[in-house]
Every structure is written in C-alpha cells, then in structure tokens.
Amino acid sequence: MPVATALPTTSAYLSGLLEAVLPEPSLRELVARAGAPEMALLGPPATRPLAVAALARAGHPVLAVTATDREAGELTAEVADVLGAGVVAELPSWETLPHERLSPRVDTVGRRLAVLRRLAHPDELAAPLQVVVATVRSLIQPMLAGLGEIAPVRLRVGQEHDFDDVLAQLADLAYSRVDMVDRRGEFAVRGGIVDVFPPTADHPLRVEFWGDEVSEIRTFAVADQRTLAPAEELHAPPCRELLLTDPVRARAAQLAAHAPTGPVGELLEKVAAGVPAEGMESLIPVLAGTELALLTDVMPRGTHVLLADPERIRARAADLVRTGEEFLEASWMVAAGGGAAPVDVATLDLSASAYRS
C-alpha cells in the first residue's frame, strides 16, 4: 500500500471523519489498487468525497468529473471539508458553446485561469492542488495550451512595482479601464491610487502607491466606495482566455483582410485593432497559432480520473457534442441562405475547439 502523505487541513472540518474511515476495507482496497488502469467503484453518492479524499491522502492527484455544475459544487465543498479548502478547487465550465459569438463570464474565466495557474505552478502557494473537480463540459472542451503560464498581477504591501507597468499589465490581462469600478474585470486610476476588481474576488481592492511602493491595500464597497477591510495582497488573474497579444492581433489582421463583410469580419477587425470584443473566444482555433489542449493534458503526472456516475457523464457528453454539431449545422444552413450565421463556417475552420467525444 502506498505511504500516506500528510496534507494541509485548512478548514478541514471533517478531517477526523477521514481518519476514522480510512481503515475500512473497501477504502484500503481502493488505495492499494490505485495503480490499476481502470476500476469500477460501487457505492452511494455520499461515499464519493471519501473515495476522492482517500486517493488524495495517499498521494495521488485526483481529477473528479461530474455530470452537472451543481454536483461539481457539492463535491468540491464536501471534499474541502475532509481535506481542507487549500488543496481542492473546482474548475468551472464556460456558460457558452465553443463556437458561439458570446464570451464566457469574467468570473468564470478568472476562476478557471486561477486553477490552471496553480496546476502549472504548484510551488507558488504553500499547498499544491491535490483535487480538481470539473464537469464533463470542462473535460471535453479544448482550451488554449499554456493558459497556466499567464502570470496574474500580484501586489503586496511593502513591495515595489513600477506604477505604469502595473497599469499596462492589467490592460494586457483584459481588464477594462473605467472611471469608477463597479464590475469584475475593471480597474480605475486616480493619482497614485489603483482600484481593481479581480474576477475571483468578492469585493474590489484599492491599492495606494507611494512612488513605486505599495503602501496600502484594502477592500471597498462598490455601492458607496467605503473601505471594508485591510488586505495584504492583490491577486488579479486574467479576465479572458484569449488575450490580445501582438501575434493574435497580427493573425486577426491577416484574416480580416480576406473575410467577407459581416459580423465575423467586424469581430476580426476589432481584435486586430486590440479592442476586446464579445464572442472573440469563438475564433480561438484560428487566432491561437497553437494546438488546443484538454484538461487531462494539464493535470499532474499520475492523476487519477474519477467519474462520478459514468453513465450520466457519457450521456451528458453526448448531448454536448450533439448540441455543438447542431449549432454548426445551423450556421451552414443560414450561411447557405444568405443570412448572417452565428459563426462563419464557410471561411473559418473552427472544428478544433468543438467538444470531444
């Protein structure tokens, strides 16, 4: 049997429960057979967090897959109560189809990129992730490779950062500059004060600079701009999975030069001009300049994939694939009739971002 590895138990309200049930024969057998290529586990849904926690406690990273968002949220909370919130994270899925001219919500993107960053750089925090919970939608949707390498903006009280560089970094990470912050993904500047509303935060943060030194950070209320509490650090992950880098803008300009007049041509022109546009993520396959990756490609080596109710997961995956295919078929039919299709399938090959089976 593998040697158990001690994990941090921050907020692990039920850590004692795990210790009590680990000697149970079925959990001992699960851990002992963890190296098997495939294993079927039978038991009530209430035992899922214990199976996940037992594998993680034995030193095996776990990717737990559920059929729905609700199940993913519940399983994340349950495993966090057993292992500790610091070693468990949920990777949310987009609310949009890969080819839709709609962008996923800023908070969804921020949470996704924060998790991917922790997977790519486990040493940045004291406790590396041991368990990632995701829906089948996140599992089968291809994403840009290297998202975990995009560094967030991190500011701590007492550190020195070039003020102008900080503003440029926020803009590069797709934060919108406004006069007054009231939504996630925005920042505002007044003198030596920068207000930032990270997509993963409950409240915006106000960062005061003294020259290039961060002298104070505090959270504040959107409604009346009053201070809520002091903070030691600002952590601001990117707000979009497709960032308007120079290579992306150059590819958009090339495509725009040959694109027919219409919504997609206008979208390419905005991207080429460096203007974030609603639905630009639908063009990731033609703008990325690299192969797309799956969630399993970015998980740590030796990860055990646990499917919670495999039949429901397979059925949900089939539904998603069929929906994506129907969306593209509808685009072809509209385009053939001379209408404005939701995606320009006639001139752009976007198949790389379609849901996998």
Side-chain angles (χ1 to χ4, degrees):
M1 181 182 298
V3 178
T5 302
L7 299 177
T9 56
T10 305
S11 303
Y13 303 112
L14 300 180
S15 59
L17 174 63
L18 179 61
E19 301 300 332
V21 300
L22 276 177
E24 203 275 330
S26 60
L27 287 180
R28 289 170 55 192
E29 183 179 0
L30 167 64
V31 173
R33 296 177 57 193
E38 187 174 345
M39 191 188 320
L41 308 177
L42 298 178
T47 60
R48 291 172 186 168
L50 296 177
V52 172
L55 287 170
R57 180 57 61 90
H60 304 291
V62 178
L63 170 59
V65 182
T66 66
T68 66
D69 292 328
R70 179 183 59 81
E71 291 174 314
E74 291 176 352
L75 184 58
T76 302
E78 291 163 353
V79 176
D81 283 342
V82 176
L83 288 179
V87 297
V88 182
E90 178 186 353
L91 184 83
S93 56
W94 285 13
E95 308 84 9
T96 61
L97 294 173
H99 305 123
E100 247 181 322
R101 283 210 305 272
L102 292 172
S103 296
R105 290 193 337 227
V106 170
D107 57 328
T108 297
V109 172
R111 289 171 58 200
R112 285 171 57 87
L113 294 182
V115 173
L116 295 174
R117 179 69 182 182
R118 291 188 64 185
L119 289 172
H121 294 271
D123 297 333
E124 285 189 351
L125 296 175
L129 283 177
Q130 291 292 318
V131 177
V132 174
V133 182
T135 64
V136 63
R137 186 169 187 157
S138 291
L139 182 71
I140 66 175
Q141 180 178 350
M143 57 186 174
L144 276 169
L147 289 176
E149 299 303 323
I150 304 175
V153 172
R154 279 188 173 154
L155 306 176
R156 290 187 64 86
V157 174
Q159 291 182 343
E160 289 193 0
H161 299 269
D162 184 273
F163 186 79
D164 292 332
D165 284 350
V166 170
L167 303 185
Q169 289 172 27
L170 289 170
D172 289 343
L173 295 184
Y175 284 78
S176 301
R177 184 164 179 170
V178 295
D179 294 330
M180 182 176 294
V181 167
D182 63 0
R183 295 181 181 179
R184 290 181 175 88
E186 295 179 341
F187 76 103
V189 184
R190 294 185 307 280
I193 298 176
V194 183
D195 292 346
V196 185
F197 202 158
T200 53
D202 292 330
H203 301 283
L205 294 97
R206 181 160 291 153
V207 183
E208 291 195 17
F209 282 81
W210 181 260
D212 286 334
E213 180 183 347
V214 178
S215 60
E216 186 178 1
I217 303 176
R218 57 188 184 273
T219 59
F220 65 92
V222 169
D224 56 14
Q225 301 289 301
R226 291 185 179 180
T227 297
L228 296 177
E232 285 296 318
E233 182 181 36
L234 165 73
H235 178 260
C239 297
R240 288 184 181 268
E241 294 186 25
L242 177 65
L243 299 179
L244 300 182
T245 61
D246 290 340
V248 168
R249 294 176 60 182
R251 280 189 288 271
Q254 293 174 354
L255 292 170
H258 304 286
T261 303
V264 174
E266 295 173 0
L267 186 58
L268 287 169
E269 289 176 358
K270 289 182 179 179
V271 173
V275 179
E278 179 70 17
M280 67 182 193
E281 290 78 8
S282 64
L283 303 179
I284 281 177
V286 294
L287 295 180
T290 182
E291 292 186 3
L292 303 186
L294 291 172
L295 176 56
T296 47
D297 297 326
V298 301
M299 292 298 298
R301 186 176 180 85
T303 291
H304 287 53
V305 181
L306 190 148
L307 305 179
D309 201 336
E311 291 305 317
R312 289 185 65 234
I313 287 174
R314 292 189 184 98
R316 177 60 177 154
D319 287 343
L320 288 167
V321 171
R322 183 167 56 252
T323 300
E325 291 174 347
E326 290 174 352
F327 183 86
L328 286 180
E329 289 174 3
S331 295
W332 276 110
M333 292 176 64
V334 173
V343 60
D344 194 346
V345 292
T347 58
L348 300 176
D349 181 10
L350 304 178
S351 58
S353 62
Y355 292 123
R356 305 295 167 86
S357 64

